[in-house]
Amino acid sequence: MVTPTNPYTAAGVDTAAGDLAVELMKSAVRRTHGPEVLGGVGGFAGLFDASALKAYDRPLLATSTDGVGTKVAIAQAIDKHDTIGLDLVGMVVDDIVVVGARPLFMTDYIACGKVFPERIADIVRGIAAGCAETGTALVGGETAEHPGLLGINDYDLAGAATGIVEAGHLLGADRVEDGDVVLALASSGLHSNGYSLVRHIVAGAGIQYGDRAADLGTHGTTWGEALLEPTRLYTSPLLRLISQHGDRVHSLSHVTGGGIAANLARVLPQGSWVEVDRSTWSPPPVFRVLADLGGLDLQATEGTWNLGIGFLAVVSADKAGAAASALAQDGIATWQVGTVRTGTTPDGEFEQGAKGVDGGAVRLVGTYSDGV
């Protein structure tokens, strides 16, 4: 007897491969679950027990969604997929902590040309690892096979997360005061922004991702591995900082698309301004090497790359030292880059808010340090 061919399989969608991918990722996903997660893996909807929210006077839900951008093209090029999920958590969950919220749960979505179970499992294991590090439950997700729309080895991923913050503890521009100190928190490298420029520079230089890397200052031994350096996750250290010095931490900024000035301007009040002093840090080698290859000076990349600063914290001047020390104990190098001022803005060109937010004014001044 001949077994009938599944017409969906004939159309290029392998449901059995999708089921195997779920089996391979199950244990990693379960490790992110506390007693608040009900139903386990595989339901139509993830369930999260929100009873603890009853303890809040006025609970505010915070939500964020994002992807990883064209960094996935490098993961695909060198067939390395175990860290790209960490990048997704960084892009999504670290946005929630900006308002002082604690993440509760996250879901993910992976679209691909063909389901390769181990590859999908690698991606989700990375997401689960990031969720575990940030205290976030990975409660659900979806893998969609799109033959004919995406190439056989192509995929893209996105995620969404929800967190909680007490209304009275909400961080933001309204808490910022004249004289507050702006602290920079070191990035691990490029994180997940500006990879279209990175890929353009690498291609123009004739570099293959399998080539031995120049001194990019990362853990990778090839260009591809170096450029896949995972995004640093800031959620847990920042939540600890807020718990210790919450009334003195006024606003936070996640330095992603748009660069340092634009993202800081979003969390400052109208009528305030900051001059970020470039001389307070030296952008890591990966930025310098790429800029040199592209025939660019570092200032030309300031609206694209983080240049070594992954987060910014605006804190009371009297707690700046304590905040920097607390973050250093969590392994994050932290230093002062500027001071918030109010009143007449100095002459010259400033970034004035960004992404629809009419916030404060920021510009970078001085020359980058040549030190390490």
Side-chain angles (χ1 to χ4, degrees):
M1 179 178 178
V2 177
T3 304
T5 300
N6 184 329
Y8 210 19
T9 302
V13 176
D14 189 346
T15 55
D19 290 342
L20 177 56
V22 172
E23 288 300 318
L24 292 174
M25 69 179 73
K26 263 186 176 180
S27 61
V29 174
R30 285 196 184 110
R31 284 194 289 272
T32 73
H33 293 178
E36 303 87 359
V37 178
L38 308 177
V41 179
F44 281 93
L47 296 173
F48 188 90
D49 186 346
S51 299
L53 274 59
K54 296 177 182 177
Y56 286 74
D57 291 328
R58 187 187 170 200
L60 301 180
L61 293 178
T63 185
S64 175
T65 186
D66 209 337
V68 179
T70 62
K71 190 172 185 176
V72 298
I74 298 175
Q76 293 160 18
I78 68 169
D79 196 24
K80 177 176 169 55
H81 313 280
D82 58 341
T83 61
I84 204 76
L86 287 164
D87 295 299
L88 182 65
V89 175
M91 293 298 287
V92 175
V93 175
D94 276 355
D95 272 1
I96 286 176
V97 77
V98 166
V99 297
R102 176 175 61 87
L104 298 173
F105 54 83
M106 179 174 173
T107 57
D108 65 73
Y109 176 79
I110 303 170
C112 59
K114 179 178 174 59
V115 170
F116 293 96
E118 188 57 54
R119 178 185 299 169
I120 298 300
D122 273 351
I123 296 169
V124 176
R125 289 185 193 113
I127 298 171
C131 284
E133 184 175 334
T134 57
T136 309
L138 183 58
V139 298
E142 172 70 9
T143 300
E145 204 166 23
H146 292 167
L149 181 63
L150 295 172
I152 190 171
N153 287 311
D154 292 340
Y155 66 81
D156 197 11
L157 65 157
T162 299
I164 183 75
V165 60
E166 182 67 70
H169 299 157
L170 187 69
L171 303 184
D174 60 305
R175 298 180 60 170
V176 174
E177 302 173 348
D178 183 77
D180 279 354
V181 165
V182 180
L183 297 176
L185 283 63
S187 70
S188 59
L190 287 151
H191 286 182
S192 297
N193 292 104
Y195 272 81
S196 292
L197 177 58
V198 170
R199 290 166 50 244
H200 175 74
I201 290 171
V202 170
I207 294 170
Q208 303 298 313
Y209 293 121
D211 292 348
R212 299 288 295 182
D215 184 14
L216 299 185
T218 63
H219 296 107
T221 58
T222 67
W223 271 87
E225 291 168 341
L227 294 175
L228 285 180
E229 180 77 18
T231 301
R232 171 167 279 157
L233 301 178
Y234 298 91
T235 291
S236 294
L238 286 171
L239 288 175
R240 283 190 284 272
L241 176 67
I242 292 167
S243 70
Q244 297 167 11
H245 306 289
D247 59 333
R248 299 300 192 186
V249 179
H250 293 160
S251 71
L252 298 171
S253 175
H254 192 189
V255 181
T256 54
I260 296 165
N263 282 293
L264 178 57
R266 296 167 68 187
V267 299
L268 298 176
Q270 294 180 32
S272 69
W273 54 273
V274 173
E275 291 184 325
V276 174
D277 185 357
R278 297 185 184 99
S279 71
T280 60
W281 85 99
S282 177
V286 64
F287 300 103
R288 295 181 181 275
V289 171
L290 285 167
D292 286 345
L293 281 173
L296 303 168
D297 61 39
L298 288 172
Q299 293 185 28
T301 71
E302 289 172 346
T304 305
W305 296 333
N306 68 59
L307 293 176
I309 297 177
F311 240 87
L312 293 157
V314 182
V315 303
S316 296
D318 63 339
K319 288 295 182 181
S325 295
L327 291 165
Q329 289 175 9
D330 267 314
I332 301 175
T334 305
W335 64 97
Q336 181 175 340
V337 294
T339 303
V340 178
R341 297 301 182 196
T342 57
T344 303
T345 305
D347 292 337
E349 187 174 346
F350 281 76
E351 293 272 359
Q352 182 73 47
K355 297 192 176 181
V357 177
D358 188 10
V362 179
R363 69 178 174 187
L364 277 66
V365 298
T367 303
Y368 289 112
S369 169
D370 290 329
V372 177

